[in-house]
């Protein structure tokens, strides 16, 4: 059987049958020899380049969060405070909408021309977009800058493909866990930069108050600081990144092989006139780049099923991420917690500490023992618990507010010695329950999305399709970010304006998120265990393809 027939048989097995992947995994776990297999050291020199590239997007994505409301208000495009919220959401939606239009094409393009050119284009687009955004004096210029940024924001799909190419079965889970880790670090840094350095002329008048530039462009400084991260990533990618696309490597190898005969002198050629032009192993083999499959061939039933669950679970988590700050800031009378921004930030920062240990230590061990599919399914089930439980905390917050006769009590962090015994107990209970539920949600997010990154890479039948597969997955995720703010905000506003009973009250949006997660889990149960195998890894064995002369 030829190489082509072997690959077709592998693809058929991956898309139609469960195979014995789970059995093999369990056998390898029980096998003492398998336990002694050591993890391949992480290629930190390559990873540092990729992580610097990846860090640029989440920082610039979240850097506008603290000041976007004030920025839109200053543009004068809104006629009322409610309109300010609408126009602010357009700035977020425009980025996600434009990214969804192009990200799969960027991934596909990287499969053809290489990873490096696409990374450079994405970083350059990010840099230009945020300089223009920081210098915007009208809403429409800011909207155009965000849209332009979205059109060129394809780097996340390309970075995922590269990580799959430079990893192996022993360290792939740990490497893939770095992506959501960098996303969370970027989110924290971006929001901090935006809050600290926005409108410096008024925040720090002693330093910036006399500088006219910062009076005319109050939001340029945080954008410029964010752009410095992008410039660093651009320099690292330009001078330190080595192409990883297998097609490029094969073409370079073919060029070297073609140059071998010309290195022989005429004397050597005459002296060895009776010898074959190629060595026996070279004569039997020739280097050929892998042929890309069509989109129809790539969208197997297994791929469609994984992408479907991707849409459901991303929509659920995105709604939860959008809703928590709104829910926490809403008054207890409307079904919220009555927190101010400091309390909201504190709760998110404390629960976010779980990300580091979970992604770098716990998840790789779970994936090696049970597989990415198992972790993916358990993560979806786990996120249902906080979705259903978090809105009930409003009842406890309302009782604390009533007991202290002060709505301001919940808005700021209280010193424990200032509370009476009943209020102290309920206050500690509120924070303990809130942190526990947010902590659970973080664990669910790590299990779900790190596993999803692994499954997506495993779905690619060869490394020549890694860009397309990661681009398709990222497009699905980006599309959910277009609709989740609109759905969550609309449902929340409708539910608190009406006096309908549970589950149509302030719990409704959380119930919808839980239902979406449950639906995703149901469909994930039909995904075959074969997705735990990295099929594109077989390219390493088939980089050299038999020529026609070697086939009998």
């Amino acid at each position: 059987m030829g190489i082509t027939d072997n690959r077709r048989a592998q693809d058929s097995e991956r898309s139609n049958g469960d195979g014995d992947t789970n059995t093999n995994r369990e056998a390898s776990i029980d096998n003492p020899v398998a336990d002694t297999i050591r993890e391949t050291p992480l290629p930190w020199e390559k990873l540092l380049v990729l992580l610097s590239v990846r860090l640029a997007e989440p920082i610039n994505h979240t850097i506008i969060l603290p000041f976007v409301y004030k920025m839109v208000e200053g543009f004068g495009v809104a006629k009322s405070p409610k309109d300010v919220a609408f126009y602010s959401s357009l700035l977020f939606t425009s980025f996600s909408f434009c990214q969804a239009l192009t990200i799969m094409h960027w991934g596909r393009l990287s499969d053809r021309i290489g990873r490096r050119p696409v990374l450079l284009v994405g970083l350059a687009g990010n840099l230009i977009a945020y300089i223009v955004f920081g210098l915007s004096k009208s809403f429409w210029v800011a909207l155009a800058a965000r849209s332009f940024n979205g059109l060129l924001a394809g780097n996340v799909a390309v970075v995922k493909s590269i990580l799959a190419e430079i990893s192996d079965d022993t360290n792939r889970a740990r490497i893939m866990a770095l992506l959501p880790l960098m996303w969370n670090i970027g989110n924290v840094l971006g929001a901090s930069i935006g809050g600290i350095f926005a409108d410096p002329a008024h925040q720090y008048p002693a330093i910036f108050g006399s500088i006219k530039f910062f009076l005319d462009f109050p939001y340029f400084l945080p954008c410029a600081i964010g752009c410095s991260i992008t410039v660093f990533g651009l320099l690292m990618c330009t001078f330190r990144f080595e192409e990883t696309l297998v097609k490029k490597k094969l073409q370079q190898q073919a060029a070297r092989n073609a140059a071998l005969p010309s290195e022989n002198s005429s004397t050597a050629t005459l002296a060895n006139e009776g010898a074959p032009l190629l060595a026996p192993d070279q004569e039997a083999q020739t280097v050929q780049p892998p042929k890309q499959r069509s989109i129809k061939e790539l969208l197997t039933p297994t791929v469609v099923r994984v992408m479907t669950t991707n849409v459901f679970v991303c929509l659920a988590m995105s709604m939860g991420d959008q809703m928590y700050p709104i829910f926490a800031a809403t008054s207890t009378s409307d079904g919220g917690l009555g927190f101010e921004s400091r309390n909201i930030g504190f709760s998110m920062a404390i629960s976010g500490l779980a990300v580091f240990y979970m992604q770098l230590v716990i998840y790789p061990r779970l994936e090696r023992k049970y597989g990415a599919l198992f972790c993916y399914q358990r993560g979806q089930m786990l996120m249902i618990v906080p979705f259903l439980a978090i809105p009930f905390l409003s009842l406890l917050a309302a009782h604390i507010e009533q007991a202290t006769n002060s709505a301001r009590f919940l808005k700021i962090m209280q010193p424990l010695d200032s509370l009476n015994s009943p209020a102290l107990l309920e206050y500690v209970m509120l924070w303990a329950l809130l942190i526990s539920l947010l902590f659970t949600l973080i664990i669910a997010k790590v299990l779900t999305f790190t596993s999803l990154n692994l499954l997506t890479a495993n779905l690619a039948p060869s490394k020549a399709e890694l860009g397309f597969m990661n681009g398709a997955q990222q497009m699905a995720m980006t599309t959910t970010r277009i609709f989740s703010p609109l759905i969550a905000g609309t449902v929340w506003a409708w539910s608190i304006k009406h006096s309908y009973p549970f589950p149509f009250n302030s719990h409704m949006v959380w119930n919808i998120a839980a239902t979406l997660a449950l639906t995703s889990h149901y469909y994930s149960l039909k995904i075959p265990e074969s997705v735990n195998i990295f099929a594109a890894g077989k390219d390493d064995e088939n980089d050299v393809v038999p020529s026609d002369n070697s086939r009998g």
Side-chain angles (χ1 to χ4, degrees), residues 377-429:
Q377 294 167 341
R378 295 306 179 272
Q380 293 171 84
M381 284 296 294
L382 192 60
M383 72 176 61
I384 296 174
V385 176
F387 282 159
L388 294 177
I390 283 177
F392 283 101
L393 295 181
S394 177
L395 299 176
L396 181 57
H399 189 270
I400 295 173
E401 183 177 304
Q402 183 179 7
T404 56
N405 295 318
S406 174
R408 181 171 172 75
F409 182 85
L410 292 166
K411 292 182 181 295
I412 59 175
M413 296 295 296
Q414 297 291 334
L416 297 182
D417 57 2
S418 67
L419 309 178
N420 55 51
S421 296
L424 172 61
L425 179 61
E426 293 181 356
Y427 188 72
V428 171
M429 185 182 300

Side-chain angles (χ1 to χ4, degrees), residues 80-287:
S80 70
K82 292 182 180 179
D83 292 331
V84 172
F86 170 75
Y87 284 106
S88 299
S89 67
L90 285 182
L91 292 179
F92 292 105
T93 302
S94 63
F95 175 89
S96 300
F97 177 76
C98 291
Q99 187 182 41
L101 292 177
T102 60
I103 191 166
M104 189 167 65
H105 301 289
W106 287 118
R108 193 67 164 166
L109 182 63
S110 75
D111 288 336
R112 295 200 300 268
I113 68 174
R115 314 300 186 196
R116 187 169 176 269
V118 177
L119 289 178
L120 292 174
V121 170
L123 289 168
N126 193 298
L127 180 63
I128 295 171
Y130 268 87
I131 290 176
V132 174
F133 187 83
L135 295 174
S136 300
K137 302 200 74 173
S138 75
F139 172 80
W140 303 110
V141 173
L143 183 67
R146 290 284 293 174
S147 301
F148 175 76
N149 193 15
L151 289 174
L152 299 184
N155 280 357
V156 59
V158 181
V159 170
K160 288 180 181 179
S161 301
I162 297 171
L163 292 180
E165 289 169 334
I166 66 175
S167 60
D168 58 34
D169 290 339
T170 66
N171 62 11
R172 185 166 294 110
R174 192 178 297 276
I175 286 179
M176 284 297 183
L178 295 174
L179 279 178
L181 178 64
M182 296 308 294
W183 175 264
N184 284 287
I185 292 175
N187 284 342
V188 173
L189 289 177
S192 301
I193 293 171
I196 294 172
F197 295 101
D199 197 7
H202 291 95
Q203 284 206 74
Y204 314 105
I207 302 174
F208 300 101
S210 60
I211 302 177
K212 187 176 185 301
F213 179 84
F214 292 115
L215 291 171
D216 294 336
F217 304 100
Y219 307 107
F220 178 78
L221 183 58
C223 292
I225 295 174
C227 284
S228 66
I229 308 295
T230 304
V231 170
F232 178 75
L234 191 60
L235 293 174
M236 292 287 284
C237 187
T238 301
F239 298 107
R240 301 297 299 273
F241 178 72
E242 296 181 5
E243 183 59 62
T244 61
L245 181 63
V246 64
K247 183 184 298 186
K248 290 285 184 181
K249 290 183 176 181
L250 292 176
Q251 290 172 348
Q252 294 168 1
Q253 183 180 346
R256 288 194 298 269
N257 289 346
L260 287 176
S262 63
E263 296 175 0
N264 299 327
S265 64
S266 57
T267 304
T269 302
L270 292 172
N272 297 284
E273 193 174 20
L277 293 177
L278 295 174
D281 57 335
Q282 290 176 317
E283 185 177 19
Q285 298 178 358
T286 182
V287 178

Side-chain angles (χ1 to χ4, degrees), residues 36-37 45 74 91 124 399 450:
T36 62
I37 297 176
E45 185 175 353
L91 292 179
H399 189 270
T450 308

Side-chain angles (χ1 to χ4, degrees), residues 333-491:
S333 60
D334 287 328
L337 296 179
F339 281 2
E340 283 191 346
S341 57
R342 187 171 62 176
N343 279 12
I344 297 172
F346 177 78
S347 63
M348 296 177 70
I350 292 297
S351 60
L353 294 177
V355 171
F356 299 94
Y357 187 74
M358 185 67 193
Q359 285 183 333
L360 297 179
V361 180
I362 301 299
Y363 180 83
R365 296 177 182 176
L366 291 176
E367 192 278 334
R368 278 199 299 268
K369 185 173 183 179
Y370 300 108
L373 180 60
F374 176 90
C375 296
Y376 183 53
Q377 294 167 341
R378 295 306 179 272
Q380 293 171 84
M381 284 296 294
L382 192 60
M383 72 176 61
I384 296 174
V385 176
F387 282 159
L388 294 177
I390 283 177
F392 283 101
L393 295 181
S394 177
L395 299 176
L396 181 57
H399 189 270
I400 295 173
E401 183 177 304
Q402 183 179 7
T404 56
N405 295 318
S406 174
R408 181 171 172 75
F409 182 85
L410 292 166
K411 292 182 181 295
I412 59 175
M413 296 295 296
Q414 297 291 334
L416 297 182
D417 57 2
S418 67
L419 309 178
N420 55 51
S421 296
L424 172 61
L425 179 61
E426 293 181 356
Y427 188 72
V428 171
M429 185 182 300
L430 172 65
W431 274 98
L433 290 173
L434 178 62
I435 297 301
S436 298
L437 291 172
L438 293 178
F439 184 84
T440 303
L441 198 57
I442 289 290
I443 294 175
K445 186 183 296 187
V446 170
L447 288 173
T448 300
F449 291 103
T450 308
S451 300
L452 187 56
N453 290 337
L454 285 169
L455 295 178
T456 302
N458 291 349
L459 287 171
S462 73
K463 290 183 178 179
E465 279 83 25
L466 276 170
F468 168 81
M469 205 62 68
N470 284 305
Q473 183 239 348
Q474 195 63 34
M475 184 188 72
M477 294 180 67
T478 303
T479 302
T480 64
R481 292 174 187 165
I482 299 173
F483 299 104
S484 58
L486 300 176
I487 295 174
T490 302
V491 172

Side-chain angles (χ1 to χ4, degrees), residues 458-538:
N458 291 349
L459 287 171
S462 73
K463 290 183 178 179
E465 279 83 25
L466 276 170
F468 168 81
M469 205 62 68
N470 284 305
Q473 183 239 348
Q474 195 63 34
M475 184 188 72
M477 294 180 67
T478 303
T479 302
T480 64
R481 292 174 187 165
I482 299 173
F483 299 104
S484 58
L486 300 176
I487 295 174
T490 302
V491 172
W492 176 258
W494 178 86
S495 63
I496 64 176
K497 286 180 181 178
H498 299 81
S499 301
Y500 293 117
F502 177 87
F504 302 106
N505 54 3
S506 58
H507 292 241
M508 186 173 179
V509 65
W510 299 99
N511 293 336
I512 293 174
T515 303
L516 289 169
L518 182 62
T519 303
S520 179
H521 174 74
Y522 171 77
Y523 281 107
S524 71
L525 296 177
K526 300 181 181 181
I527 299 174
E529 290 283 345
S530 57
V531 296
N532 284 318
I533 299 176
F534 182 56
K538 302 188 188 312

